[in-house]
Amino acid sequence: MKLKDRIAIVTGAASGIGAASARLFAAEGARVALVDLDEGGLAAVADEIRAKGGEALEIVADVSRDDQAGAGVDRVLQAWGKVDVLMTAAGISLGGTVDKIDEAIWDRTFAINVKGTYLWVHHAIRPMIAAGSGAIVTVGSQLAQASLGKNAAYVASKGAIASFTKTIAVDHAAQGIRVNALMPGVIDTPMPARSLQRQADPEAARQVWRQRHPMGRIGQPEEVARAALFLASDDSSFVTGTLLFVDGGWTAH
Ligand code: NAD
């Protein structure tokens, strides 16, 4: 077991990549705090983990709220005494070119994707610094490097997460904390399904996605979860400040 006796926090754990990662972390021995706005989704993932003998703590929170992030980390410390792993998977993607997106879309995207990452790192890294160890896995996107366009705020937010990840990796390496980002390709979760609904021809868009990955398909959340496990576990003991592309070759194209 790669995360035996570790305490992990996963934001965005009610769905998609966060849920798959939380399930895998629990299967690998971690006690997992599941953070999301979606109470029903959280309960379903927590029940699955418990049914397999794992331990889960449900934290209903808006990741863009400082008070809720602080209280969430405190709950984990009260329940389990430490934080070994933080994965920040909560995110939104609203689409739009810069001339069309209004200030509210920009602000909401940055509040959840960028500030939500900052806030959970800000609070969870403190017990890690005190303990002298920790692994943080943020979630960017391959679009930050090779964009398809038409999603200006989202792509900018993912670029911000990549830069944030690298600079905090430098700041905290000597304190025993590793910080790395996953940069997924298109992954089969509700998020791209919602993007398809915004397209005039969803099937054509789906075909472009498949072809844009040299592997000829989109990815599965479990494939990203296995990369998250690598970054969260001691298997990546000399890896920090890295952007790990899990994108079927998209950015190599
Ligand atoms: P998803 O929509 O399935 O899951 C996102 C989760 O975040 C949901 O459970 C949602 O309730 C939660 N969330 C949204 N706003 C929140 C808030 N304010 N507070 C707390 N929770 C909130 O999407 P996913 O595909 O699993 O995405 C997970 C991460 O992976 C996101 O950061 C996304 O940008 C990134 N990503 C996804 C893809 C993809 O193709 N699916 C590709 C690259 C990167």
Side-chain angles (χ1 to χ4, degrees):
M1 285 205 180
K2 293 185 186 291
L3 294 178
K4 192 167 169 6
D5 299 328
R6 304 278 164 94
I7 305 301
I9 299 175
V10 179
T11 74
S15 178
I17 291 168
S21 301
R23 286 190 207 99
L24 183 60
F25 290 180
E28 290 290 334
R31 282 176 278 175
V32 188
L34 311 168
V35 180
D36 208 290
L37 272 178
D38 173 4
E39 199 170 348
L42 273 190
V45 175
D47 287 348
E48 278 179 63
I49 289 172
R50 293 186 191 114
K52 293 189 172 160
E55 277 188 65
L57 184 67
E58 293 151 66
I59 299 176
V60 180
D62 178 342
V63 294
S64 68
R65 291 274 307 270
D66 180 48
D67 55 343
Q68 296 183 18
V73 171
D74 283 349
R75 264 189 71 195
V76 176
L77 292 173
Q78 276 158 21
W80 294 329
K82 61 175 184 164
V83 180
D84 298 302
V85 172
L86 169 69
M87 177 173 178
T88 52
I92 57 166
S93 169
L94 301 174
T97 53
V98 71
D99 54 317
K100 302 270 169 44
I101 55 174
D102 60 16
E103 187 184 15
I105 287 181
W106 181 272
D107 284 349
R108 194 160 154 239
T109 303
F110 270 70
I112 295 172
N113 296 4
V114 183
K115 187 176 164 192
T117 299
Y118 146 70
L119 284 174
W120 280 82
V121 170
H122 172 72
H123 289 285
I125 203 169
R126 292 173 173 183
M128 291 179 178
I129 292 169
S133 69
I136 297 173
V137 183
T138 63
V139 183
S141 166
Q142 107 286 358
L143 294 176
Q145 181 152 323
S147 171
L148 271 182
K150 298 191 175 66
N151 206 353
Y154 177 77
V155 173
S157 77
K158 293 299 173 174
I161 289 171
S163 299
F164 177 63
T165 300
K166 289 199 270 189
T167 197
I168 64 176
V170 171
D171 285 339
H172 299 285
Q175 292 165 315
I177 298 160
R178 297 181 302 99
V179 193
N180 294 287
L182 292 166
M183 305 292 269
V186 180
I187 308 299
D188 188 10
T189 73
M191 181 181 280
R194 283 189 294 270
S195 299
L196 280 181
Q197 285 167 7
R198 292 195 294 265
Q199 310 288 328
D201 185 348
E203 193 39 51
R206 198 192 298 272
Q207 191 57 22
V208 168
W209 285 352
R210 280 195 212 103
Q211 287 167 352
R212 193 62 186 75
H213 299 85
M215 291 180 77
R217 66 175 178 86
I218 66 170
Q220 293 302 314
E222 292 73 21
E223 295 180 289
V224 183
R226 289 196 292 275
L229 175 63
F230 169 69
L231 294 176
S233 73
D234 295 344
D235 279 355
S236 58
S237 54
F238 197 52
V239 181
T240 198
T242 278
L243 311 180
L244 177 53
F245 287 82
V246 187
D247 69 351
W250 177 302
T251 46
H253 207 218

